Amino acid sequence: MSYIEPELDSHKILSQMLASNEFGTFFGVSSKVLKEVWAALTSATGESVTHVSMEIGADNDVYNPVKDVLREINIFDHENKLVSKFNDKILYGPAKIPNYSGGLGVLAGDTLKSYADCHLPALGISLLYRKGYFSQLVDSEAGQIAHATQWRPEETPHLYLLKDPADPRKPLQVEIPFFDRGKQIKVAGNLWMKLEAANDLSYFVPEILLDYSLPSAPEWIRKAAQHLYESRSERAKAIQRRLLGASVLPVMKALNITSKTIHLNEQHGVAVVLHLIARYLQEKLGDDYMMKSTDQEILETAKLAANWVVYTIHTPVKAGHDRFYRDMYAEIGHPFCNRILELLAEEGENPDFFNFTSLAMKINRAANGVSRMHRLVTQKQFPQYAHKIKAVTNGVHHLTWISAAKAELFDIFPEFKDWRRNPGVFAKAEGLKNNDKFRTYLEQAWQTDTEKLIDFINQMLIEHRQKMHTTWIDPPNFFSHLKDSERDLSPKVMTIGFARRFSTYKRANLVFEDIDRLTGIVKNNNWPVNFVFAGKAHPADEPGKHIIKNIIDTQKELYEKSDGLIRLIFIPGYDMALSKMMVAGVHAWLNSPKRPLEASGTSGMKAALNGVPNISTMDGWWVEGYNQGRTGWKFGRECEISNACLSEDLCTLLFTEDSDSFYNLFPQILKTFYDETCRHELIDKCVMNIALNGPVFNTHRMAAEYAKLYKIKLAPEMERRLAAFRKLYDSNRPGKI
Ligand SMILES: *Cc1c(COP(=O)(O)O)cnc(C)c1O
């Protein structure tokens, strides 16, 4: 359902979606809206933000307001060729841009979508990876098999190659300086544009994806730009980061973007500060600034550069922070750039490295962690900056993640009127807690979502078996080989979901630590359970891949020892579409990281917005979302936050202690599902998730907090709306978490 003026007829709506300029039928956004957004992004006041992220996940098969409107107005047989081409492209064209690996990218996408909904002028910048992240196959013997995702930006609807205004036959290009064996070179990149449209198409946020695959670029650049999180060498990784950071100012210049705020979504793009510093020095000292600058002048100028930057740190885990050998970096960076790094990117522990997290932490005007707990952790990790580190707790874009069945439910009850614009209204669910009609409808919607997920899995099990002779992949679930009558999962069985990247600290296999104990619990009461797992491990992360293999290897033992009561399923190819189906369809969402290593986590928020309770260690967002058990369950050790508990060593991951805590809790959870006299507790938790977590863990509220952090001036009506979101929640509320 859209907010396009309802009294308009279909043809008028369509005409509102088309631009009269060079974009024409491309995006489904009118000339008026294009003009308004572009005016804001290029205005002399600079009241906008440029959001820089290594990855952006915003798959259009999961959320696409342009497509929704086209479906609604239903003009198929239009005689206008352009319009029917537009229809075909949006309604049936490929939708995915495989430019994300996990939570960081999906968060970036969700953020930009909420900025569009809240009319916060913003530009997203990321790279375009022609081989994506990777596609995941899983074989029962080999475990995860990674292969390159082949996709063609040229054939992807919504992805527009920007043209040079001086010569529209040519693509617009930016050039960024690189250093190659002692020589300065310029590398040219094309600019692809995607739009994140507001739900009612009244605004948008453009996203620029930089394409460094041009034949004119040296091969080592093209290779470094192929895969997201390229890991074949430290050098390739460093080059990829440079491609992002060094492009920011040239892109802004090419498009006349005047943002006074550059938001670094994690430190990957921090090289932009080197260019800001160089620009200031050049203004001050002239073209031979490199010869003239003193260390003192560089440090003074760094303060000016800092005024531009807002930095969000996303993880306390070491692998999330870039450290590069100085000697290696000298090969790709100009000696002057290395001189700046010598002054600003020191690595306390090892002087042979540049530390890019240190650089980002130092050079900014505001820095924040992504939950209240993560703020504390970050303050411990960077005590010298503790005073300035704030929290902005993450959220998810509610319009993307609420299932169709739940959306229908919210549309039926007038209490939720306007929920699309204002997720604050979810608080009203509390008033419906004892409303039988609401509870019944809620349970029905939940069941619809469960059936959809279970049908998908049952279909998948058959397909894997059918395809094995052509793909040579042995099905990742041994259930694929069972007889028809034994194979199918039932939607009546309590189904627990787990899906995220497979990193060791997330401990995907924690609840399978003691199989005898787990199978004992279900056998004692004859309570069957489905565990549904998905997720990718980075191809270079051997321990992560090992956990996937471990999960698959555990299926048969669990099934047999539990007398067929436990089915552990692994679904390959985790992406946003699968995520959406899982978070809404399961009966509880499992999250088992070692506290306090999960900075926030967002998949649990997606579950919560669908009313699905979490079962989680007290880490990341769950410290804020748990609400004394009214919204789910907690388990595991609740250590005091100190540097000691930040260890990622296997022997410090508390497998025995935290799994024991889970087994103590688990019978209670199963009871709420299977014991008719307790069932109401489960529905209570479902309602209270919507009521307590719905208004908070969404990116509209998060956008409101960021707008304040950016100190951005918005139109008065929008500012009022955002102020209302801020009233609902303050990530930096003084006192206890
Ligand atoms: C939400 C999401 C994530 C992030 O999940 P976490 O719980 O934060 O680890 C990762 N991948 C996909 C595809 C997602 O949709």
Side-chain angles (χ1 to χ4, degrees):
M1 201 187 289
S2 83
Y3 280 90
I4 293 234
E5 298 155 51
E7 67 274 15
L8 290 183
D9 73 28
S10 302
H11 291 272
K12 288 227 180 77
I13 292 174
L14 189 67
S15 69
Q16 281 198 349
M17 294 172 72
L18 306 180
S20 54
N21 58 15
E22 75 271 24
F23 296 118
T25 58
F26 201 85
F27 290 116
V29 168
S30 71
S31 303
K32 180 170 161 278
V33 172
L34 279 161
K35 264 195 200 129
E36 183 192 340
V37 172
W38 225 259
L41 289 173
T42 54
S43 90
T45 61
E47 297 289 340
S48 65
V49 57
T50 292
H51 188 88
V52 180
S53 184
M54 204 72 207
E55 45 175 317
I56 301 180
D59 283 343
N60 279 144
D61 58 338
V62 175
Y63 180 71
N64 185 348
V66 173
K67 186 170 174 172
D68 292 345
V69 172
L70 282 185
R71 273 215 194 109
E72 212 176 307
I73 60 178
N74 204 12
I75 303 185
F76 286 108
D77 55 353
H78 204 277
E79 63 279 5
N80 183 334
K81 276 243 167 55
L82 272 178
V83 170
S84 58
K85 220 173 113 193
F86 175 57
N87 252 325
D88 287 351
K89 181 180 78 167
I90 304 294
L91 292 173
Y92 312 112
K96 288 176 195 283
I97 298 182
N99 262 41
Y100 63 93
S101 81
L104 185 75
V106 175
L107 177 79
D110 280 8
T111 303
L112 298 181
K113 287 182 246 179
S114 278
Y115 285 0
D117 291 326
C118 298
H119 293 207
L120 195 159
L123 172 80
I125 298 185
S126 189
L127 300 179
L128 182 136
Y129 310 96
R130 288 204 173 238
K131 293 189 176 172
Y133 181 48
F134 71 93
S135 291
Q136 180 194 50
L137 292 171
V138 180
D139 176 278
S140 70
E141 289 296 320
Q144 171 174 295
I145 302 168
H147 65 105
T149 311
Q150 296 294 349
W151 67 292
R152 285 183 42 82
E154 293 78 5
E155 285 160 17
T156 305
H158 282 311
L159 203 51
Y160 185 89
L161 182 64
L162 289 181
K163 311 293 187 315
D164 188 345
D167 182 357
R169 286 164 309 175
K170 287 192 188 146
L172 179 64
Q173 292 192 332
V174 292
E175 285 196 324
I176 66 164
F178 250 93
F179 210 65
D180 183 20
R181 284 157 299 189
K183 266 202 344 250
Q184 180 92 43
I185 57 166
K186 296 250 186 197
V187 182
N190 283 347
L191 278 62
W192 295 87
M193 184 159 90
K194 179 173 185 256
L195 301 188
E196 302 308 336
N199 188 245
D200 60 0
L201 309 189
S202 64
Y203 208 80
F204 67 87
V205 168
E207 198 181 293
I208 301 295
L209 301 179
L210 288 148
D211 181 1
Y212 286 106
S213 67
L214 306 186
S216 64
E219 198 190 350
W220 50 273
I221 295 265
R222 276 182 276 138
K223 278 200 161 152
Q226 271 177 357
H227 283 105
L228 169 60
Y229 299 128
E230 175 55 65
S231 62
R232 90 186 74 207
S233 70
E234 280 300 290
R235 190 163 182 271
K237 182 173 158 186
I239 291 166
Q240 190 173 80
R241 304 298 195 262
R242 279 293 298 279
L243 287 172
L244 179 67
S247 308
V248 176
L249 298 182
V251 169
M252 289 173 71
K253 186 160 177 229
L255 302 177
N256 297 320
I257 305 294
T258 50
S259 311
K260 286 187 301 197
T261 302
I262 295 172
H263 185 174
L264 299 179
N265 190 40
E266 197 45 283
Q267 41 75 47
H268 302 124
V270 70
V272 65
V273 307
L274 306 176
H275 296 269
L276 282 166
I277 291 172
R279 195 167 80 179
Y280 275 117
L281 288 169
Q282 189 174 21
E283 276 168 19
K284 185 171 167 196
L285 304 170
D287 283 346
D288 49 354
Y289 67 96
M290 292 187 199
M291 314 269 280
K292 287 187 184 158
S293 307
T294 63
D295 285 357
Q296 195 51 38
E297 275 164 329
I298 293 175
L299 291 171
E300 286 298 316
T301 309
K303 289 184 194 151
L304 299 174
N307 277 333
W308 290 74
V309 178
V310 170
Y311 166 48
T312 301
I313 181 166
H314 284 270
T315 179
V317 171
K318 281 212 170 72
H321 302 288
D322 295 334
R323 293 172 170 82
F324 294 116
Y325 263 113
R326 288 173 179 230
D327 291 350
M328 183 276 289
Y329 212 82
E331 292 172 17
I332 62 165
H334 191 281
F336 188 70
C337 141
N338 287 25
R339 201 176 136 206
I340 303 176
L341 289 170
E342 298 280 348
L343 292 169
L344 298 170
E346 71 273 16
E347 157 75 59
E349 287 164 28
N350 190 338
D352 292 341
F353 286 90
F354 289 136
N355 183 329
F356 286 80
T357 301
S358 294
L359 176 64
M361 203 43 103
K362 191 173 289 171
I363 311 298
N364 62 66
R365 69 163 201 259
N368 70 287
V370 287
S371 70
R372 288 176 178 163
M373 170 99 128
H374 181 230
R375 176 189 183 189
L376 268 178
V377 171
T378 310
Q379 286 172 330
K380 290 261 189 264
Q381 282 188 312
F382 299 92
Q384 66 277 40
Y385 304 113
H387 59 282
K388 72 169 178 186
I389 297 167
K390 295 270 187 290
V392 176
T393 301
N394 281 162
V396 297
H397 185 243
H398 65 292
L399 297 158
T400 297
W401 295 107
I402 286 173
S403 72
K406 308 285 172 22
E408 209 175 299
L409 172 81
F410 296 141
D411 284 336
I412 290 174
F413 287 83
E415 284 80 356
F416 302 118
K417 185 172 172 297
D418 222 16
W419 66 270
R420 287 183 173 76
R421 258 181 219 260
N422 175 14
V425 303
F426 290 130
K428 296 194 178 148
E430 187 160 13
L432 292 169
K433 197 168 162 214
N434 299 317
N435 178 320
D436 285 339
K437 181 178 164 197
F438 179 64
R439 292 177 76 98
T440 309
Y441 279 35
L442 180 60
E443 213 169 345
Q444 278 167 359
W446 200 350
Q447 205 173 324
T448 304
D449 287 333
T450 305
E451 281 163 9
K452 190 171 164 199
L453 172 67
I454 299 294
D455 280 352
F456 172 85
I457 293 171
N458 289 337
Q459 204 56 43
M460 172 193 85
L461 292 176
I462 299 174
E463 257 169 40
H464 281 169
R465 193 186 57 209
Q466 287 172 341
K467 281 193 193 152
M468 64 186 283
H469 301 296
T470 47
T471 59
W472 294 61
I473 301 284
D474 192 54
N477 298 281
F478 89 96
F479 303 99
S480 285
H481 296 298
L482 294 186
K483 286 202 296 275
D484 284 359
S485 56
E486 287 171 26
R487 190 192 47 237
D488 280 359
L489 274 64
S490 160
K492 300 258 180 291
V493 166
M494 180 158 203
T495 299
I496 293 172
F498 179 108
R500 42 185 66 81
R501 284 182 308 111
F502 273 66
S503 312
T504 35
Y505 80 89
K506 294 189 187 242
R507 303 187 302 188
N509 48 351
L510 181 85
V511 301
F512 310 118
E513 177 70 6
D514 185 343
I515 288 186
D516 290 331
R517 186 126 177 241
L518 182 60
T519 52
I521 293 170
V522 301
K523 279 201 295 190
N524 269 346
N525 301 285
N526 201 24
W527 285 331
V529 184
N530 299 323
F531 287 100
V532 178
F533 276 55
K536 295 175 173 179
H538 188 281
D541 178 6
E542 292 303 329
K545 286 193 282 190
H546 189 77
I547 301 173
I548 294 183
K549 181 75 169 68
N550 184 247
I551 294 279
I552 291 168
D553 289 344
T554 308
Q555 291 171 340
K556 201 162 182 191
E557 189 183 354
L558 272 172
Y559 185 68
E560 284 170 0
K561 282 199 172 158
S562 68
D563 300 336
L565 290 173
I566 298 183
R567 286 161 193 264
L568 167 57
I569 298 289
F570 189 90
I571 309 179
Y574 188 43
D575 65 1
M576 288 178 63
L578 180 53
S579 174
K580 182 166 180 176
M581 192 160 47
M582 287 180 73
V583 292
V586 297
H587 299 114
W589 191 248
L590 177 65
N591 182 40
S592 48
K594 181 203 163 187
R595 169 176 157 130
L597 296 178
E598 186 65 273
S600 165
T602 51
S603 61
M605 301 175 181
K606 300 168 193 165
L609 262 67
N610 281 287
V612 172
N614 277 257
I615 310 169
S616 174
T617 49
M618 282 304 254
D619 201 6
W621 83 281
W622 190 235
V623 178
E624 294 158 66
Y626 172 66
N627 296 296
Q628 291 91 39
R630 289 202 286 168
T631 50
W633 296 273
K634 67 167 179 173
F635 67 96
R637 177 147 130 198
E638 290 180 49
C639 61
E640 276 297 306
I641 304 308
S642 69
N643 279 321
C645 57
L646 288 170
S647 168
E648 297 161 43
D649 294 341
L650 198 59
C651 61
T652 64
L653 289 185
L654 301 172
F655 265 83
T656 311
E657 185 175 333
D658 284 358
S659 64
D660 183 61
S661 166
F662 175 79
Y663 300 134
N664 288 334
L665 170 70
F666 199 36
Q668 207 180 306
I669 297 174
L670 289 167
K671 198 163 176 222
T672 60
F673 188 83
Y674 285 114
D675 185 333
E676 280 304 319
T677 62
C678 300
R679 182 85 181 187
H680 66 97
E681 286 174 32
L682 188 66
I683 306 300
D684 284 352
K685 282 187 169 47
C686 182
V687 176
M688 293 315 287
N689 260 307
I690 297 165
L692 299 175
N693 290 335
V696 175
F697 299 102
N698 62 74
T699 36
H700 281 36
R701 182 274 311 155
M702 190 189 89
E705 291 200 67
Y706 273 121
K708 196 169 165 206
L709 198 66
Y710 300 155
K711 298 197 166 67
I712 227 163
K713 271 202 204 68
L714 298 173
E717 194 219 317
M718 285 300 156
E719 184 44 45
R720 268 197 301 280
R721 265 179 67 191
L722 295 195
F725 294 148
R726 282 193 292 269
K727 266 206 187 130
L728 295 171
Y729 198 69
D730 175 3
S731 300
N732 292 290
R733 182 190 64 175
K736 265 187 67 165
I737 291 178

